[in-house]
Amino acid sequence: MPGGGRCPDCGSAELVEDSHYSQNQLVCSDCGCVVTEGVLTTTFSDEGNLREVTYSRSTGENEQVSRSQQRGLRRVRDLCRVLQLPPTFEDMAVAYYQQAHQLAGIRTARLQKKEVLAGCCVLITCRQRNWPLTMGTICTLLYADLDVFSGTYMQIVKLLGLDVPSLCLVDLVKTYCSSFKLFEASPSVPAKYVEDKEKMLSRTLQLVELADETWLVTGRHPLPVITAATFLAWQSLRPSDRLTCSLARFCKLANVDLPYPASSRLQELLAVLLRMAEQLAWLQVLKLDKRSVVKHIGDLLQHRHMLVRKAFRDGTAEMDAGEKEPQGQGQGQGLGDRDVGSSSLELPVGKRPASPALLLPPCMLKPPKRVCPIPPVSTVTGDEDISDSEIEQYLRTPQEIRDFQKAQAARQAAQSVPNPT
């Protein structure tokens, strides 16, 4: 470079400009020494004096990205790569993180909330792009508390004014069931436990829809319900070989984690199936239980809509009959005027079977027990001392006031007498 400086290593004046990753650098052509490294932009006078231009001067930016934001952006990108999301998802999640980080409520929040901010932005992106991803999955990857994550998620959605659709249950079932290791024979999975993917997915979807119709999904985490439905679908396709397999062993064979409430969701699904089986004439004589009803899941799902409506209508009819019974007896209704086919009308009111509440949410069928606070036990006996400032509140008449003043003067006089000892 004519008129320029010299190489600090060899003293040569042969300095050339080399472009490396879109950044101009000055390199000595004799020894290869990089004289200026990482120069973003320069002027002619700066090049002549071998002076680098700082980032803030070159771009006109006075603010730099904080270390907290840099860690958050790296976490967003790492999370997108772990989940194998498309590049457009990653760019969208990064943009949401940058917007959320500028909010005063987030920037001054606790470290625990900032750590889950990246996962919230990724979840918002997946929900808006209809990508099946649950909040529990991200909490597992981030080792985050579910309550903190859900609170931060709702706060960001509200502050940014985003329109986030609800999770599509069908897509979630397809994605979650595809991760089960039960569709190919392997040394860890016996041949009798291997099942066709399409058959198992189709029956699982029907069971999940049944659970949704009977209030077993609303307000709950979907994965335990899907796990229970997948287990029942897998058992019902070959019940002779799989009825002895437990839910825990099934999850171990499928190489998936067993959610804690999955056992409870399984029992609720079996109770619904038993109630539906009571409406089929050819199943009423079999006296089914929660174990044997699995063999007839195919028939129950085939007539699912009719059985659910019939079970609900029967419960309503019994409630109406219970309300009208006293009126019929009071009017002197005879046996010949009653419906012979309705055996419930001939039962006494006190012995009538309770109507089943099939379509009520589980929280109403089994409400949580509320512990009533026990009032503190009073230990007042009436012999407690009353202070001078408090006793004035109990004086009513002028005579009481005079007696109190005399007693108080006598006590003061007794205290002023010196002790002879």
Side-chain angles (χ1 to χ4, degrees), residues 44-60:
F44 182 78
S45 59
D46 291 328
E47 290 181 353
N49 297 291
L50 298 179
R51 291 183 303 185
E52 297 181 359
V53 178
T54 60
Y55 171 77
S56 58
R57 287 178 55 197
S58 64
T59 60

Side-chain angles (χ1 to χ4, degrees), residues 145-210:
D145 182 71
L146 185 59
D147 295 335
V148 177
F149 188 94
S150 59
T152 307
Y153 173 80
M154 296 302 297
Q155 182 182 6
I156 294 174
V157 171
K158 182 178 180 180
L159 292 177
L160 295 181
L162 301 176
D163 184 15
V164 183
S166 59
L167 181 64
C168 181
L169 197 59
V170 176
D171 293 339
L172 180 60
V173 171
K174 294 179 180 179
T175 304
Y176 185 64
C177 291
S178 300
S179 63
F180 283 52
K181 308 298 182 182
L182 295 173
F183 310 120
E184 295 180 0
S186 63
S188 60
V189 181
K192 63 179 181 179
Y193 291 155
V194 178
E195 189 52 67
D196 181 68
K197 181 178 180 180
E198 297 301 327
K199 292 181 180 180
M200 184 172 170
L201 182 59
S202 175
R203 183 156 294 186
T204 302
L205 284 172
Q206 293 179 347
L207 286 169
V208 172
E209 290 175 358
L210 173 63

Side-chain angles (χ1 to χ4, degrees), residues 333-374:
Q333 184 179 9
L335 182 60
D337 297 334
R338 298 181 182 179
D339 186 5
V340 179
S342 178
S343 60
S344 62
L345 293 178
E346 301 181 9
L347 292 174
V349 178
K351 297 182 180 180
R352 189 179 314 281
S355 59
L358 177 65
L359 294 182
L360 290 178
C363 62
M364 297 182 64
L365 293 175
K366 296 181 180 180
K369 296 181 180 180
R370 296 182 178 180
V371 180
C372 298
I374 301 175

